[in-house]
Amino acid sequence: MKRQDLHAAWLPPAAFRSVGSRHTVVHGDGPLLDTVLAELREAAGRYGGTVRHGDGAEPVDLVLALSAVPAESGGTGDEGFVLARRDGVTTLLADAPAGLLHGLFHVVRLGEPAFTGERPAEHHRPALHRRIVDDWDNVDVHPVMGQVERGYAGGSIVWRDGALREDLSRVAGYARLLACCGINGLVVNNVNVHASEAHLLTDRLGEVAAVAGLLRPYGIRIHLSVNFASPVQLGGLPTADPLDERVREWWAHTTRGVYETIPDFGGYLVKADSEGQPGPFAYGRTHADGANMLADALAPFGGVVHWRAFVYNHRQDWRDRGTDRARAAYDHFVPLDGEFRDNAVLQVKHGPLDFQTREPVSPVITAMPRTRVAVELQATQEYTGQQRHVCYLAPMWRTVLGFRPWGEDRPDVAQVAAGGGLVGVSNVGDDPYWTGHPLAQANLYAFGRLAWDPTLDPAAILDEWIELTFRPDDTADPQTLRRTLHELMDGSWQTYEQYTAPLGVGFMVSPGSHYGPSVDGYEYSPWGTYHFADRDGIGVDRTRATGTGYTGQYPAPWSDIYESPDTCPDELLLFFHHVPYHHVLHSGRTVIQHIYDTHFEGARRTERMRELWRDLPAGLVDPALYARVSERLDEQVRSAHEWRDQINTYFLRKSGVPDAHGRRIY
Amino acid sequence: MKRQDLHAAWLPPAAFRSVGSRHTVVHGDGPLLDTVLAELREAAGRYGGTVRHGDGAEPVDLVLALSAVPAESGGTGDEGFVLARRDGVTTLLADAPAGLLHGLFHVVRLGEPAFTGERPAEHHRPALHRRIVDDWDNVDVHPVMGQVERGYAGGSIVWRDGALREDLSRVAGYARLLACCGINGLVVNNVNVHASEAHLLTDRLGEVAAVAGLLRPYGIRIHLSVNFASPVQLGGLPTADPLDERVREWWAHTTRGVYETIPDFGGYLVKADSEGQPGPFAYGRTHADGANMLADALAPFGGVVHWRAFVYNHRQDWRDRGTDRARAAYDHFVPLDGEFRDNAVLQVKHGPLDFQTREPVSPVITAMPRTRVAVELQATQEYTGQQRHVCYLAPMWRTVLGFRPWGEDRPDVAQVAAGGGLVGVSNVGDDPYWTGHPLAQANLYAFGRLAWDPTLDPAAILDEWIELTFRPDDTADPQTLRRTLHELMDGSWQTYEQYTAPLGVGFMVSPGSHYGPSVDGYEYSPWGTYHFADRDGIGVDRTRATGTGYTGQYPAPWSDIYESPDTCPDELLLFFHHVPYHHVLHSGRTVIQHIYDTHFEGARRTERMRELWRDLPAGLVDPALYARVSERLDEQVRSAHEWRDQINTYFLRKSGVPDAHGRRIY
């Protein structure tokens, strides 16, 4: 497949027009510099500029130079760069080749302003060193989960029906897109490592190497999800006990083999003792024992193990109101703080449950000061509309990353995550638009940008993405196009929250698929996901005073803020408290009226979104993309109304309280 | 696989001990007589008797003779027989070979009493001419439904992974078991005819013929489920319009081909315009048009088309309380009464919905006097415990067959069904015990026996089945074995009803699997299956006065009996009426207290069942079978308690009414 046959996403040729029309000189050598030169030359070929490698006398507009940035300015580190413009020349300097690559994409994002006026030196460095996407791709088509677990964009771009794809050009295109938004690592396979996938570590390592070869030119290291039981499954050992010398030796020599094949291999990702996956518990060992064994195997080569904290009892009894899944990761891992190796990263989902539309920040993030913690976000819209609904997630992520667990003037989540990194579960597949819903591309872009700079404003990221992707200035009506996309996307997460599970209660989705409403779908399940709605009230009492004690896992001030319904934020009220339907929110509305109001309002907003798209003048976007978005909006409107009606009917039947405004509830 | 490696079910060798120890003479010839002779010779070889074919002078105990039974006694018909015993000789006479086969199995059932004392001539004839089992076997493994749709006993005994099994010995054993309980027809494949299965009609007809060859020696004709769109799918025609001459000709010549290969082929079974299957609606034709087209193709060869009445809108909107799925079959088919050919049989599920634990009799059965109606029962326990629960269904079926739609002294359902037959969806697979739960064998046996004689008492059928299967008199404690099995099975349907959906409301099962409770699982679905429970009451108003008018589909007196909650039987109250939780039943209890009481009682009964089985002295049944039943009873106890707790908690949360006896509701 040729690059021009792939959807260009946020790197259409025209995004390089400003750069491509300039006279550029590049100083420095190396593989990443070759990538920079190739990008520049392709753009120059299209837009009339020139590119020279090394010294010369011609006048230039743009200089990219690999050269030690003066130490007094702090240097640029492995990936940073300095951008300046003086006397009509724009200069990009970096200590390391990756910095020039990121700098180039920064100049692309800037467009014409990068070549206008004067520009004092700006120092750019990523806030987080580890910026990784996790692909949940399977080698074999899983009978339930398919080729990509929780994938909503077609098949895997790497494997098809059990074999590596012959044409991996999508992977090359993906690497380029990821590099442009700042990603520097990719986990190539699903965290649930099934039988065939386990072999990627050994006899199928060549497939991983093939993908790694396509990522490398864009500064992205490959990582592999591995099965904790590999020494048994692959090595023929009788045990996978992390303290058994044979097991440690097996991991050591297997890891050595990986690095012999892939010298810049990033490391392992492990989901252990979770939802049926094997782990150290089987041998009476701790998760630190398990993680450290792999860390030791990786350490000689500079690799890192990412160890997921997503451990809980998924065979809970719904009758047991004392067990609280939200507590589980903290209870399992916090006692181990300080026991993990320096190259072991504990990878923690941003909330205590599982990527619900609204959750509090996981208290694990706050409670392991002597452990490298990475925060895991989910770009694939498992619980947020499955890329059939517009749901721009950057506002949610910004809320998480900017949360200050210890109160104002103390570190925020992004600062804590600087030790381990930011990880995003990817949302791409072999869909023509990469992500099913074309507007879902923005989530992947925003993830990368927030990993680079967690302080970015979601609307500003959307501006960047719109300018790159849709080139409004090349259309007849740039302002309408920009305004329409912002109106569709800016508030789409809040809209989605309005018409789905209310007030942080979560999990009112169809079991299994997680798409569409089922208020009681998980209410009597073994998954630990309950709302306890009865005729009088709803919500989960997680207080110290009368509930599961989960609020006690937070440091002050949030342990106290969440403890009382008087101070708990409305949007998380039902996550922390069981309250009567007539409980009055800070908004002044009762809980039951809030449910009705938000559901009517959320569904109405989806109608408005569809109208906005219908009103978009023809020709502003590609007709095929326009049609795809239209079709998805139809489904979003239908689904939002289904949510509205099921939720409202459920609560009307249960509470008996009529809508204060007399609207129709079935 | 040798016969002795198959579980013998109700035909263990010892069942033939009485016959096998006698001196027998057989008069008559033909294939079925060969089967009779082979059965007799095998038994005699084991138990020391003799078998002679044709005249001779030796003393005999048993004579089987194919000879015209005197017309003044009415003859025996195609399948009946006359049994008598005089002067120490037992005599079986029949007009036709099948009569002798059925007679032989009758003598086997009788055992020693068939050879004791005098026995005046008894005339046996089946009440229903057509006694058919439907196997829902797929050729290919269906991604959702597997090798057998709604099968709970392993794979198909005919196909595996898309191909005919090499070893079809199970089919031969199945035929023998079916013949013993009176079955004379078998539909070999699933009513949902997918792509590969469609080819059984043409290029894969040889597979059907292979099975037919194994059924034939036991007097069982094979039938085939066909896809209405076959002329398009297989014939390359642009249409399947039943009035199109090309289509009619395609079916005529295809059917001719079937009979050339299988001269005793029984006919077709069609599920059309139902749950996504194609049908005549696509061409603006009626179901009579569709059925008659196939009937015309089959008529020259004596074949019959079974046309299912299971037609309803499975994409209903739960918000629409006016549409009532229970009405659908009547509304579709009753206007067509009189339009069906004589060799077209309308196959009607016994209830208006779908094999729920408790439903009223389908009014379609009462409303088509000019149409051959067959009644369809379901031996496979889709909604009745999936062969993990003991649920002896004969009492339910007896209730259906003995129901008198026009009141006392008028015909019952069995008499109406005499025109079309009785059909049972089979419950067997390649499981070692045929049916998963060994005690579920009784359901298949009872189905056959009720099809032969619908007036049989379920307990008496169970007696027969126990004597044949378990040979209590060969054990150390016959009475304990008999009593235990009766106590486990006699009331097991009522027990199952007690701990599942209450008072006829149905469909509180897990969506998709139909196993285990999910009170709201189908409440907001498109399947037309709702209970409308709110904080005040529950049930579906199907009255003429205020509801969907469904009660008006019944003749008097039931149209009036069902219309009023004062006369509606308790067990169907919520099927016909929406009532408050405090509504008082004829039993004197309120609806809510009935729910609590029956759920506590039903779950308790399963504990008692398990105790009974635990208390069974060792050695009375085969240890492997004992272990299998024990394991299933553990699951039944677990599941019954899950049902009890989910149902009780759901209704306590909704109604707010505490249990009058203060028992624990979670």
Side-chain angles (χ1 to χ4, degrees):
Chain A
M1 190 173 230
K2 293 179 185 156
R3 186 195 287 175
Q4 54 267 38
D5 296 331
L6 295 171
H7 187 255
W10 51 87
L11 283 179
F16 290 80
R17 187 188 292 132
S18 297
V19 170
S21 59
R22 259 68 190 192
H23 301 291
T24 301
V25 61
V26 177
H27 297 284
D29 290 291
L32 288 185
L33 267 293
D34 291 346
T35 304
V36 168
L37 281 163
E39 291 282 353
L40 287 167
R41 284 174 176 143
E42 184 181 330
R46 182 173 278 115
Y47 293 107
T50 61
V51 179
R52 208 177 63 230
H53 188 193
D55 289 332
E58 298 87 346
V60 294
D61 306 306
L62 174 62
V63 176
L64 290 83
L66 191 60
S67 66
V69 171
E72 64 265 25
S73 69
T76 68
D78 286 348
E79 300 184 300
F81 56 89
V82 177
L83 174 68
R85 180 172 170 82
R86 192 188 304 171
D87 302 331
V89 179
T90 302
T91 308
L92 262 179
L93 299 179
D95 291 349
L100 286 190
L101 183 66
H102 291 300
L104 169 63
F105 285 123
H106 185 72
V107 169
V108 168
R109 266 197 299 275
L110 288 173
E112 220 35 43
F115 302 98
T116 314
E118 296 285 292
R119 185 177 278 268
E122 301 162 13
H123 289 253
H124 291 263
R125 290 179 75 156
L128 292 100
H129 181 60
R130 312 185 65 76
R131 306 177 304 280
I132 299 178
V133 291
D134 283 9
D135 286 8
W136 284 355
D137 291 13
N138 294 319
V139 173
D140 288 335
V141 176
H142 186 274
V144 176
M145 289 298 173
Q147 189 75 70
V148 182
E149 180 150 336
R150 307 298 179 191
Y152 310 106
S156 160
I157 63 172
V158 176
W159 290 284
R160 183 161 60 190
D161 293 339
L164 192 71
R165 283 174 173 268
E166 286 185 23
D167 178 359
L168 289 173
S169 51
R170 276 184 175 277
V171 177
Y174 186 40
R176 189 166 172 260
L177 290 171
L178 293 177
C180 173
C181 59
I183 304 295
N184 65 359
L186 179 143
V187 183
V188 73
N189 65 311
N190 186 3
V191 288
N192 293 312
V193 181
H194 308 294
S196 293
E197 291 75 9
H199 287 268
L200 295 173
L201 180 62
T202 52
D203 49 303
R204 295 185 73 163
L205 183 62
E207 300 174 26
V208 183
V211 176
L214 297 167
L215 304 179
R216 192 171 292 120
Y218 287 93
I220 297 167
R221 295 171 84 172
I222 201 163
H223 299 239
L224 192 64
S225 296
V226 296
N227 190 310
F228 186 81
S230 293
V232 178
Q233 290 176 12
L234 304 174
L237 293 180
T239 176
D241 181 351
L243 299 193
D244 186 294
E245 202 43 53
R246 295 165 297 177
V247 173
R248 300 177 66 81
E249 173 50 32
W250 187 88
W251 278 110
H253 89 250
T254 300
T255 302
R256 196 179 315 122
V258 172
Y259 277 91
E260 282 166 7
T261 307
I262 308 168
D264 60 347
F265 181 73
Y268 298 138
L269 171 61
V270 185
K271 173 179 178 179
D273 290 319
S274 173
E275 299 181 337
Q277 294 292 313
F281 286 165
Y283 306 100
R285 308 304 183 187
T286 71
H287 277 247
D289 293 331
N292 289 343
M293 167 187 67
L294 295 174
D296 290 344
L298 289 157
F301 313 100
V304 169
V305 58
H306 282 242
W307 192 269
R308 289 180 102 220
F310 186 55
V311 176
Y312 69 100
N313 175 12
H314 70 289
R315 300 195 181 282
Q316 189 176 330
D317 191 329
W318 61 268
R319 300 169 188 82
D320 164 22
R321 287 179 81 148
T323 301
D324 181 3
R325 171 170 165 183
R327 293 185 57 110
Y330 184 108
D331 289 341
H332 280 299
F333 285 95
V334 171
L336 302 176
D337 187 35
E339 296 184 16
F340 289 93
R341 298 277 190 276
D342 196 50
N343 66 328
V345 172
L346 189 67
Q347 185 164 316
V348 184
K349 292 192 184 195
H350 67 81
L353 292 179
D354 190 13
F355 300 134
Q356 298 303 291
T357 309
R358 176 78 72 167
E359 292 186 47
V361 163
S362 169
V364 176
I365 297 169
T366 71
M368 301 191 68
R370 294 179 294 158
T371 306
R372 290 188 183 277
V373 170
V375 173
E376 186 178 301
L377 306 173
Q378 193 186 42
T380 192
Q381 293 172 233
E382 178 175 359
Y383 292 96
T384 51
Q386 303 198 350
Q387 281 136 257
R388 291 188 252 181
H389 296 225
V390 179
C391 188
Y392 177 52
L393 293 168
M396 182 214 285
W397 298 336
R398 180 68 204 106
T399 303
V400 169
L401 295 168
F403 180 74
R404 295 185 185 274
W406 299 274
E408 291 307 308
D409 302 322
R410 298 291 306 281
D412 65 14
V413 166
Q415 287 165 299
V416 176
L422 200 65
V423 177
V425 182
S426 181
N427 60 357
V428 309
D430 68 357
D431 172 73
Y433 295 100
W434 295 94
T435 51
H437 202 310
L439 304 186
Q441 292 176 0
N443 286 326
L444 186 59
Y445 182 82
F447 166 76
R449 295 292 290 137
L450 284 171
W452 182 280
D453 181 358
T455 68
L456 287 174
D457 172 36
I461 297 174
L462 199 57
D463 277 334
E464 287 180 11
W465 177 77
I466 291 169
E467 297 304 313
L468 286 169
T469 304
F470 291 95
R471 315 295 306 159
D473 286 331
D474 295 347
T475 71
D477 190 350
Q479 287 318 312
T480 295
L481 178 54
R482 290 187 182 106
R483 193 180 59 243
T484 299
L485 288 166
H486 271 286
E487 286 193 36
L488 272 173
M489 297 174 71
D490 278 337
S492 55
W493 168 52
Q494 287 93 334
T495 298
Y496 188 83
E497 182 180 33
Q498 284 187 313
Y499 60 75
T500 56
L503 296 165
V505 79
F507 279 106
M508 290 182 169
V509 294
S510 295
S513 77
H514 300 169
Y515 187 77
S518 180
V519 181
D520 273 2
Y522 277 99
E523 188 59 13
Y524 301 92
S525 81
W527 295 96
T529 48
Y530 315 116
H531 54 64
F532 301 121
D534 62 20
R535 75 199 318 260
D536 301 315
I538 180 174
V540 188
D541 184 350
R542 292 191 160 107
T543 63
R544 298 190 290 287
T546 55
T548 69
Y550 169 76
T551 58
Q553 294 187 343
Y554 288 89
W558 288 99
S559 56
D560 298 321
I561 294 172
Y562 289 144
E563 175 74 7
S564 165
D566 295 336
T567 49
C568 182
D570 282 354
E571 68 271 16
L572 287 169
L573 182 68
L574 302 183
F575 192 92
F576 285 104
H577 299 278
H578 187 93
V579 299
Y581 292 117
H582 57 72
H583 174 91
V584 179
L585 299 166
H586 299 116
S587 69
R589 287 188 294 202
T590 62
V591 165
I592 188 71
Q593 193 57 41
H594 172 94
I595 292 173
Y596 297 151
D597 286 350
T598 53
H599 284 78
F600 282 113
E601 171 65 12
R604 200 197 56 73
R605 284 194 190 178
T606 64
E607 295 167 25
R608 171 73 184 141
M609 288 162 73
R610 181 164 64 179
E611 284 162 20
L612 277 167
W613 193 249
R614 282 184 180 158
D615 291 345
L616 192 72
L620 297 191
V621 301
D622 172 73
L625 182 143
Y626 182 86
R628 171 70 75 94
V629 172
S630 298
E631 161 248 302
R632 304 263 154 160
L633 283 168
D634 285 345
E635 166 58 16
Q636 182 169 9
V637 170
R638 184 208 64 76
S639 178
H641 286 73
E642 185 67 27
W643 271 100
R644 177 195 72 186
D645 291 340
Q646 283 202 33
I647 295 278
N648 284 348
T649 295
Y650 180 96
F651 286 103
L652 175 62
R653 286 188 185 179
K654 213 147 197 170
S655 72
V657 181
D659 173 40
H661 306 297
R663 289 163 294 193
R664 176 153 198 186
I665 299 178
Y666 293 89
Chain B
M1 190 174 235
K2 292 178 186 158
R3 188 195 286 173
Q4 55 265 41
D5 295 330
L6 294 171
H7 187 253
W10 51 86
L11 282 180
F16 289 81
R17 187 189 292 132
S18 298
V19 170
S21 61
R22 260 67 191 194
H23 301 290
T24 301
V25 61
V26 177
H27 298 281
D29 291 292
L32 287 186
L33 267 294
D34 291 344
T35 303
V36 169
L37 281 163
E39 291 281 352
L40 288 167
R41 285 176 177 144
E42 183 181 330
R46 180 172 280 114
Y47 294 108
T50 63
V51 180
R52 209 177 63 229
H53 189 194
D55 289 331
E58 299 86 344
V60 294
D61 306 305
L62 174 61
V63 176
L64 290 85
L66 192 61
S67 67
V69 171
E72 63 265 27
S73 71
T76 66
D78 286 348
E79 300 185 300
F81 55 89
V82 178
L83 173 69
R85 179 170 170 84
R86 190 189 305 171
D87 302 333
V89 178
T90 302
T91 308
L92 262 179
L93 301 178
D95 292 349
L100 286 190
L101 183 66
H102 292 299
L104 169 63
F105 285 123
H106 186 71
V107 170
V108 168
R109 264 196 300 275
L110 288 174
E112 223 33 45
F115 302 99
T116 314
E118 297 284 291
R119 185 177 277 270
E122 302 163 9
H123 290 253
H124 291 262
R125 291 182 72 158
L128 292 99
H129 181 60
R130 310 185 65 77
R131 306 177 305 281
I132 299 177
V133 291
D134 283 9
D135 287 8
W136 283 355
D137 292 13
N138 295 320
V139 173
D140 289 334
V141 176
H142 186 274
V144 176
M145 289 298 175
Q147 188 75 73
V148 181
E149 180 152 337
R150 305 300 178 190
Y152 310 106
S156 162
I157 63 173
V158 177
W159 289 283
R160 184 162 60 191
D161 292 339
L164 192 70
R165 283 173 173 268
E166 287 184 23
D167 178 1
L168 290 172
S169 52
R170 278 185 172 276
V171 177
Y174 186 40
R176 189 167 169 258
L177 291 170
L178 293 176
C180 172
C181 60
I183 304 296
N184 66 0
L186 180 142
V187 183
V188 73
N189 64 313
N190 185 5
V191 290
N192 292 315
V193 182
H194 308 294
S196 293
E197 291 75 8
H199 287 267
L200 296 173
L201 180 63
T202 54
D203 49 303
R204 295 185 72 164
L205 183 62
E207 299 174 27
V208 183
V211 176
L214 297 167
L215 304 179
R216 193 172 292 119
Y218 287 93
I220 297 168
R221 295 172 85 173
I222 202 163
H223 299 240
L224 192 65
S225 295
V226 297
N227 190 309
F228 187 82
S230 293
V232 177
Q233 290 178 8
L234 305 174
L237 293 180
T239 175
D241 181 352
L243 300 192
D244 186 295
E245 201 46 51
R246 295 165 298 178
V247 173
R248 300 178 65 82
E249 173 49 34
W250 187 88
W251 279 110
H253 90 252
T254 300
T255 304
R256 196 180 315 122
V258 172
Y259 277 92
E260 283 166 4
T261 306
I262 309 169
D264 61 347
F265 181 73
Y268 298 137
L269 172 61
V270 185
K271 174 179 179 178
D273 290 320
S274 173
E275 299 180 337
Q277 294 293 310
F281 287 165
Y283 306 101
R285 310 304 183 186
T286 71
H287 278 247
D289 293 332
N292 290 343
M293 168 188 66
L294 296 174
D296 290 345
L298 289 156
F301 314 101
V304 169
V305 58
H306 282 243
W307 191 270
R308 290 179 100 220
F310 187 55
V311 175
Y312 69 100
N313 174 12
H314 69 289
R315 300 196 180 281
Q316 190 176 327
D317 191 329
W318 61 269
R319 301 169 188 81
D320 164 22
R321 286 179 82 146
T323 300
D324 180 3
R325 171 170 164 182
R327 293 185 57 110
Y330 184 108
D331 289 341
H332 280 299
F333 285 95
V334 171
L336 302 176
D337 187 34
E339 294 184 18
F340 288 94
R341 298 279 190 272
D342 195 50
N343 67 328
V345 171
L346 189 67
Q347 185 163 316
V348 184
K349 292 191 184 196
H350 67 82
L353 292 179
D354 191 12
F355 298 135
Q356 298 303 290
T357 308
R358 178 77 74 168
E359 292 188 45
V361 161
S362 169
V364 176
I365 297 169
T366 73
M368 301 191 69
R370 295 179 294 160
T371 305
R372 290 188 183 278
V373 170
V375 173
E376 186 178 301
L377 307 173
Q378 193 186 41
T380 192
Q381 293 172 230
E382 179 175 358
Y383 293 98
T384 52
Q386 304 200 349
Q387 282 135 255
R388 290 188 252 180
H389 296 225
V390 180
C391 188
Y392 178 52
L393 293 167
M396 182 214 282
W397 297 337
R398 180 69 203 108
T399 303
V400 169
L401 295 168
F403 180 73
R404 295 184 185 276
W406 298 275
E408 292 306 309
D409 305 321
R410 298 291 306 280
D412 64 13
V413 165
Q415 288 166 300
V416 176
L422 200 66
V423 178
V425 182
S426 182
N427 60 356
V428 308
D430 69 358
D431 172 73
Y433 294 100
W434 295 94
T435 51
H437 202 309
L439 304 186
Q441 292 176 359
N443 285 328
L444 186 60
Y445 182 83
F447 167 75
R449 296 290 290 136
L450 284 170
W452 182 280
D453 181 357
T455 68
L456 287 174
D457 173 36
I461 297 174
L462 200 56
D463 277 333
E464 289 180 9
W465 178 77
I466 291 170
E467 297 303 314
L468 287 168
T469 304
F470 291 95
R471 315 299 302 161
D473 287 330
D474 296 347
T475 71
D477 190 350
Q479 287 317 312
T480 297
L481 179 53
R482 289 186 183 107
R483 193 181 60 242
T484 299
L485 288 165
H486 270 286
E487 285 192 39
L488 272 172
M489 298 174 72
D490 278 337
S492 56
W493 169 51
Q494 288 92 335
T495 299
Y496 188 83
E497 183 180 31
Q498 282 186 313
Y499 61 75
T500 56
L503 297 165
V505 79
F507 280 105
M508 290 181 169
V509 294
S510 295
S513 76
H514 300 169
Y515 187 77
S518 180
V519 180
D520 274 2
Y522 277 99
E523 189 58 15
Y524 302 92
S525 82
W527 295 95
T529 49
Y530 315 116
H531 54 64
F532 301 122
D534 61 22
R535 74 199 318 257
D536 301 314
I538 179 175
V540 189
D541 184 351
R542 292 191 161 107
T543 64
R544 300 190 288 288
T546 55
T548 68
Y550 170 74
T551 59
Q553 293 187 343
Y554 287 91
W558 289 99
S559 56
D560 297 323
I561 294 171
Y562 289 143
E563 175 73 9
S564 165
D566 296 336
T567 50
C568 183
D570 281 354
E571 68 271 15
L572 287 168
L573 182 68
L574 302 184
F575 192 93
F576 286 104
H577 299 278
H578 187 93
V579 299
Y581 292 117
H582 57 72
H583 174 90
V584 179
L585 298 167
H586 298 117
S587 69
R589 287 188 293 205
T590 62
V591 164
I592 188 71
Q593 193 57 42
H594 172 94
I595 292 173
Y596 297 151
D597 287 351
T598 53
H599 284 77
F600 282 113
E601 171 66 12
R604 202 197 56 74
R605 283 194 190 180
T606 63
E607 295 167 23
R608 170 76 184 137
M609 290 162 73
R610 182 164 62 177
E611 285 163 18
L612 277 167
W613 193 248
R614 283 182 179 161
D615 291 345
L616 193 71
L620 297 189
V621 302
D622 172 74
L625 182 143
Y626 182 86
R628 172 70 76 93
V629 172
S630 298
E631 161 248 303
R632 303 263 155 161
L633 282 168
D634 285 345
E635 166 58 15
Q636 183 169 9
V637 170
R638 185 207 64 77
S639 178
H641 287 71
E642 184 66 27
W643 271 99
R644 177 194 72 185
D645 291 339
Q646 282 203 32
I647 296 276
N648 284 348
T649 295
Y650 180 96
F651 286 104
L652 174 62
R653 286 188 185 179
K654 213 148 199 169
S655 73
V657 180
D659 173 39
H661 307 298
R663 290 164 294 194
R664 175 155 197 185
I665 299 178
Y666 293 89

